[in-house]
Amino acid sequence: MTAANPLLALDYLPALESLGDDYYDLVAAAEFPKHILRFRNDDVVRQLGLEPATVSDDDFIEAFGKFQGREPFLALRYHGYQFGEYNPFLGDGRGFLYGQVRGTDGNLYDFGTKGSGTTPYSRGGDGMLTLKGGVREVLAAEALYALGVNTSRAFSLVETGQALWRGDEPSPTRSSVLVRFSQSHIRFGTFERLEYHNRPDLIAKLLEHVIDVYYPEARLFTDAQERYRHFYGELCDRVARLAAQWMSVGFCHAVLNTDNMSITGESFDYGPYAFMDGYDPRFTAAYFDYAGRYSYGNQPIICHMNLKALQKPLKLIMPEADLEAALEPFKDRYEAYYQQRMLRKLGFQSLADDLAAKLVSQTIELLSAVEVGYHDFFLGLTQQFSAAWHDDASQIFSTTLQASDSAAVAPLKAWRQTYHRCLQSLETETMAGVASLLQRTNPQTVLLRPEIEAIWEPITTDDNWQPFYDLLNRIQHPFVQG
């Protein structure tokens, strides 16, 4: 170990490693011809108890570009349902678990790589990550984090100097290695692989580890079945909350296979994702998702299906009835979390149940009817909101939001009336609080595809990274300041 490097001097814990090699393979990192640090996450550096000024760019490159100074690296084994079909040939194919450390909050976190070379699960691939793919993941993780989504973070991105050939990018294209900072890299598919091999003993061992590390309330139960029931119920709740977070911010993950579902309920692994522009439940981010399986509007349904799929391995160690009982409230919990987040986007901490449901429903109807972007609608509401709306419904979006055609006239009128009723349910002096909540909830900058392409062009033509850093700063601080 190079003691002078504070990233290598962290207290790495063999948490997952201690479970034994039934869950992983030992692998080595690739050697790269070049190392240029393109991104470092100083916010996460602080979360590790370090001061950014004490961690140099060379420290990042040594630890997370050259991968010197520590081992072992673990390529995790897992299977998964990909677009509904079971695939038993998966696993970490271009990355590994670099190490696990505790943050200043006392929680255990993973460093996981993407683009660090081949493993036994590369399936003929080169084990590499394109630079554009790395840039996109950095932007997605940081944007979602700033919007309050439970997400992994990007810790570092190093350009590595190779020419890669890809069918979905102009090639040759540049290479990179990303290091992700997340709660866990244990996936639904990790358990599915163990069921495939009929290893209930390894399922129970892994589940006890997951409960011990990530589900503190469940580990309070002395009875194993009580622990398992509490774990699965809490996981269902976390996934319902995550789906509501994605939906409220207009985010489409694009590849919600079970191997891309974290056992902690955290969002991670950003490939062909997109934030939708106009409201469209059928919006599909991945060009290869021809049937729209993972469309924006299907995400809560797919999350429910994936939780259902996880029951298959868990049934080897606990009763199916307990699993079904825990999953049954998923839809109601999702709808409650979604309504809560949408109310905040509309400026309300809470409303009477019937009024809240009506406002959210009519907002979706309105967004479907008018020709205005999903994010533009809420930003416009934030910018145009006036305390005068409390007493005069005719002023609500009177000049900035117009029906695009005759079919939108009725939804717009109904929404204005309901929004006015919601405002009148509050005291006049609370209008400043409505304005403040709008400003703290609705982003001024959204990571739409044109924003990404706009910063990628100067990188490819002039190696100019300033537009990337400017966009990164805007999405990390996205809200209107009152």
Side-chain angles (χ1 to χ4, degrees), residues 32-36 158-164 173-177:
F32 300 109
K34 183 170 69 173
H35 305 87
I36 304 174
V158 175
E159 185 173 358
T160 52
Q162 293 177 309
L164 304 179
T173 188
R174 293 150 73 174
S175 64
S176 68
V177 61

Side-chain angles (χ1 to χ4, degrees), residues 82 101 133 138 146-148 161 213 242 249 273 311 315 317 325 330 344 354 378 381 399 425 434 439 446:
Q82 299 191 312
V101 297
V138 169
L147 295 174
V213 177
L242 175 62
V249 301
Y273 72 88
Q311 290 185 7
K315 280 190 294 188
I317 61 171
F330 177 88
R344 290 178 59 85
D354 58 339
F378 291 104
L381 179 64
T399 59
S425 72
V434 173
Q439 292 169 349
V446 177

Side-chain angles (χ1 to χ4, degrees), residues 8 10 20 32 45 92 106 108 147 186 190 220 232 362 386 474:
L8 296 176
L10 292 169
F32 300 109
V45 169
D92 281 338
L108 187 69
L147 295 174
I186 299 173
T190 312
L220 297 176
Y232 186 68
Q362 289 185 341
S386 168
R474 295 201 308 275

Side-chain angles (χ1 to χ4, degrees), residues 144 149 188 236 238-258 260-261 267-276 279-286 289 291-308 327 330-331 334-335 338 374-375:
L144 290 171
V149 174
F188 287 18
C236 291
R238 292 184 188 184
V239 173
R241 186 185 298 114
L242 175 62
Q245 291 169 352
W246 284 335
M247 297 296 285
S248 67
V249 301
F251 179 76
C252 184
H253 183 283
V255 194
L256 288 180
N257 300 324
T258 58
N260 286 335
M261 297 287 291
S267 177
F268 79 115
D269 204 358
Y270 303 115
Y273 72 88
F275 286 84
M276 67 177 180
Y279 178 79
D280 181 4
R282 298 167 299 177
F283 173 74
T284 303
D289 187 3
R293 178 184 179 88
Y294 297 141
S295 66
Y296 165 77
N298 275 356
Q299 291 180 123
I301 299 169
I302 293 296
C303 286
H304 182 276
M305 291 173 60
N306 288 344
L307 286 164
K308 179 73 173 179
L327 182 58
F330 177 88
K331 181 179 179 182
Y334 161 74
E335 290 178 349
Y338 178 70
Y374 179 80
H375 308 283

